Amino acid sequence: MLTYDGDMRVLSGIQPSGTIHLGNYLGAIRTWVREQHEDAFYCVVDLHSLTLPIEPAALRQNTVECAASLLAAGIDPDKCTFFLQSEVQYHPRLSWLLECVATMGELNRMTQYKEKAEKSLGKVGLFTYPVLQAADILLYDTTHVPVGDDQRQHIELARNIAERFNFNYGDTFVVPEGTFPAAGARVMDLQQPERKMSKSVSSPLGTVSLLDSPEDVIKKVKKAVTDTDAEVRYDRKAKPGVSNLLDILAGLHESTPSAEAEKYSRYGDLKAATGDAINDVFGPIQQRYATYMADPAEVLRIMSRGAERASTIAEATYRRAATAVGLVG
Ligand code: TRP
């Protein structure tokens, strides 16, 4: 079996669609920031955002905003490789080779495709989306892919494609593993605490955006759905709303939900503390964000420099795969 000759090669991606929210931050981005090292690759996957209808101007704007948010949240282009997917030509090129290995049957089983198919108006790109994602991952000899729980199926598919390719054509790809956040890292919608916080599904009141004003954050947390028995206790099943606030606090304070629960006896105090904790973390990020957004060209330059570094590695893997299947060019 092919293995990566360093310790651990990490890659993850985020779509530039809409503003980053608290769920993205606690579930993924904070882990990326913590785990950045010279073998970490983080990309803004703009090609993936073409799979659902999006205005060109909106895609352009979202791309810069997403990159600026990640930089503001602490992604350091000197410590890791931070880049824009569409600037590395080997992603779509490898994706094509992998499309010729993946089967209709396995793509048909992808639940995200089924959920979003209607919105894509029958376009093929949404169907082959997970193959492009597999290319993103396999190009870098990735050993670990830190992603949210909703990506389990896509990671499994990338593994299957890598194994099949290796079996058919000889050892070419490192077979990657997903790494998933601990249960508590899953932030739920403040208004519907049984469903995940998400930029597409949730109500505006249920989602706390990285760029919300401090007043809005306080207001949204104050209006968060709890329950009527007025006891601060961690119990995700019986008390999903209260437990979500405790999970958020524990995530931000790097403590545990039960330790947080002991500090409060009233919902009002719990909510005030949660709002303040979010603002304490988001405040400095918002200041850095404003600095980056004042110079969008610099944000793009930062990503282009990352793409150059990424391309060197991606090219070597792509060539290996292309040669393996018999391409002579
Ligand atoms: N599909 C991922 C998501 O929606 C984004 C993504 C694209 C990704 N390519 C990737 C994540 C490669 C990890 C690795 O969250």
Side-chain angles (χ1 to χ4, degrees):
M1 197 175 96
L2 200 66
T3 51
Y4 172 59
D5 55 13
D7 266 352
M8 182 185 195
R9 172 66 61 79
V10 174
L11 177 133
S12 198
I14 184 166
Q15 280 197 55
S17 51
T19 314
I20 289 172
H21 57 68
L22 183 63
N24 305 132
Y25 180 76
L26 285 179
I29 291 160
R30 203 182 45 164
T31 320
W32 297 10
V33 171
R34 211 184 276 148
E35 287 180 9
Q36 43 188 342
H37 44 72
E38 56 175 14
D39 264 335
F41 290 73
Y42 298 119
C43 60
V44 174
V45 291
D46 53 346
L47 295 174
H48 277 110
S49 290
L50 291 170
T51 58
L52 291 178
I54 181 161
E55 289 295 330
L59 179 56
R60 254 176 245 131
Q61 182 69 17
N62 288 350
T63 300
V64 178
E65 287 179 4
C66 180
S69 303
L70 293 172
L71 292 166
I75 294 289
D76 180 345
D78 292 326
K79 288 194 184 143
C80 65
T81 304
F82 174 58
F83 66 102
L84 185 60
Q85 180 193 35
S86 64
E87 288 193 281
V88 180
Q89 54 164 310
Y90 303 101
H91 291 239
R93 292 175 73 180
L94 181 63
S95 185
W96 177 254
L97 302 189
L98 302 182
E99 276 185 43
C100 298
V101 171
T103 67
M104 293 293 285
E106 63 191 346
L107 291 184
N108 257 325
R109 285 197 290 276
M110 297 292 119
T111 53
Q112 277 208 343
Y113 170 71
K114 289 182 214 165
E115 284 162 14
K116 295 186 183 170
E118 216 165 301
K119 279 204 225 155
S120 85
L121 313 168
K123 306 245 170 51
V124 177
L126 187 71
F127 188 67
T128 56
Y129 173 121
V131 184
L132 178 59
Q133 180 167 351
D136 299 340
I137 297 168
L138 301 182
L139 272 175
Y140 297 91
D141 291 338
T142 303
T143 58
H144 294 85
V145 191
V147 277
D149 264 323
D150 61 335
Q151 295 299 310
R152 279 182 193 273
Q153 235 191 348
H154 289 165
I155 304 302
E156 200 50 40
L157 179 81
R159 290 171 57 86
N160 290 339
I161 292 177
E163 280 168 356
R164 195 172 319 136
F165 192 105
N166 288 346
F167 183 80
N168 290 345
Y169 298 110
D171 260 355
T172 306
F173 298 120
V174 172
V175 180
E177 255 173 60
T179 51
F180 303 93
R186 192 160 190 206
V187 178
M188 311 307 277
D189 186 294
L190 296 180
Q191 289 295 312
Q192 305 171 59
E194 51 298 314
R195 104 192 283 171
K196 208 179 83 161
M197 189 178 282
S198 126
K199 38 197 168 189
S200 47
V201 192
S202 315
S203 54
L205 266 183
T207 307
V208 177
S209 148
L210 187 62
L211 303 176
D212 277 347
S213 70
E215 297 74 31
D216 278 351
V217 171
I218 301 286
K219 187 180 84 189
K220 287 179 181 180
V221 177
K222 215 182 220 165
K223 292 196 171 160
V225 168
T226 49
D227 52 53
T228 50
D229 77 11
E231 186 197 353
V232 178
R233 178 168 55 87
Y234 188 68
D235 180 340
R236 270 200 166 230
K237 277 226 171 64
K239 300 171 75 70
V242 170
S243 301
N244 189 33
L245 297 178
L246 291 168
D247 272 329
I248 292 171
L249 266 181
L252 293 167
H253 289 159
E254 316 218 8
S255 62
T256 64
S258 0
E260 294 295 335
E262 280 175 23
K263 296 192 213 157
Y264 310 98
S265 51
R266 298 207 319 244
Y267 287 178
D269 297 338
L270 170 65
K271 286 179 165 182
T274 307
D276 289 344
I278 297 172
N279 284 331
D280 285 348
V281 172
F282 283 7
I285 296 180
Q286 290 180 0
Q287 280 179 5
R288 288 193 292 270
Y289 176 80
T291 313
Y292 282 112
M293 287 309 285
D295 190 0
E298 173 61 11
V299 172
L300 295 178
R301 274 195 298 274
I302 291 174
M303 282 198 296
S304 297
R305 283 199 290 273
E308 272 175 45
R309 211 181 322 160
S311 288
T312 321
I313 294 164
E315 178 175 7
T317 317
Y318 172 77
R319 297 273 169 231
R320 216 160 64 215
T323 304
V325 301
L327 297 178
V328 291

